[in-house]
Amino acid sequence: MSSSTPARTLAHPAISARLLWLALAVVAVLSLLTYLVAFDQGAVSQSGMYLHELMHDGRHLLGVPCH
Amino acid sequence: MPSFLSVLLRGLLAGLVAGLIAGTFAYFAGEPRIDAAIAIEEQATHSEPTTGEDHHEDELVSRDGQRAGLFLATGLFGVAMGGMLATAYVLLRRRLRTRDDGRAALLLAGGALLGAVVVPFLKYPANPPAVGNPDTINQRTGSYLLLVVLGLVAVWAGALGHRALRPDAPDWQRAAAAVGGFLLVTVVAYTVLPSFHEVPDDFPAALLWDFRLASLGTQLVLWTGIGLLFAALLSWSGRRPTAAAPLPGGEPVGADEARDGVDAPARP
């Protein structure tokens, strides 16, 4: 964090390489979360179909493809 | 990058709350239709051999568990979408030609709703349980995700069309250019991607319609909530004498100062 500019809550930071990497990491984590909630058929989650079944109503009502 | 973190936290929070509100909507508007569809599925399931991936043979999770899981699903999905919206906001804020942060947030949320929800929904509408061929799940998922991406590209093409004309062009011309750019990408995507018609002939049409409306409504509530809450949280500067959780990044500036964009020269 550079101290040259005071940290502003609503700053519009310039797109630095660091910010891009950070954004990429955030999107990757959130994509995994989205996958587990909405698209996992038990292939990635170690719970088998448990997660899939637990959030089954949600997937259907969010409109993602399901069996 | 404290400001990214602070914006991200606002997005995640907006997504969580909007997800729970959307879950509440889905609970009342959607659950009765899911129950009706499952009842139909129960009747039909004995006439077809299962492929080992049957939803309701093993009963891993009870129906009550699934009703609770609805809120978990929409809440977590909302968190993910809110975080992605916040990330897009940080990356695109400078390219959006508006001085108002809240307007920028609403524009992005509206674009996400149109591109990532409405465009895919019109070609691949939501299906209740008992509709859908398990053998095509991978093709359907792949096509759906591709259409989400292409829908966002279509929104981007609309923005490009809007900007292609001179700023002093009449509003209707810029709007027409935006619609043209959006439609161009959307029509090509709809034409190129495969279609899936998997609704059984004897499935009640009214039930299918009601379910799909409930599903679209859930996404509408979710994205409307994310957009409004994220915009509201952006305008909130955390200036409270006993803030329970001070935002990372030290001293936030006053809301009025931030909203007016101190580094933008005032135009007479």
Side-chain angles (χ1 to χ4, degrees), chain A residues 1-2 5 7-9 11-20 22-23, chain B residues 1-8 90-91 248-249:
Chain A
M1 171 183 170
S2 70
T5 52
R8 290 180 36 196
T9 318
H12 306 151
I15 311 295
S16 62
R18 180 157 174 262
L19 174 62
L20 266 183
L22 218 60
Chain B
M1 192 53 78
S3 57
F4 174 47
L5 194 61
S6 138
V7 171
L8 178 65
V90 168
L91 293 179

Side-chain angles (χ1 to χ4, degrees), chain A:
Chain A
M1 171 183 170
S2 70
S3 53
S4 56
T5 52
R8 290 180 36 196
T9 318
L10 299 178
H12 306 151
I15 311 295
S16 62
R18 180 157 174 262
L19 174 62
L20 266 183
W21 280 113
L22 218 60
L24 201 64
V26 167
V27 169
V29 170
L30 294 177
S31 298
L32 179 64
L33 177 62
T34 307
Y35 175 86
L36 285 177
V37 171
F39 298 101
D40 185 35
Q41 311 285 344
V44 166
S45 60
Q46 294 304 300
S47 66
M49 291 295 282
Y50 183 78
L51 272 186
H52 175 107
E53 283 300 320
L54 177 64
M55 301 194 272
H56 193 242
D57 290 8
R59 324 165 56 119
H60 275 281
L61 279 164
L62 287 167
V64 300
C66 203
H67 303 161

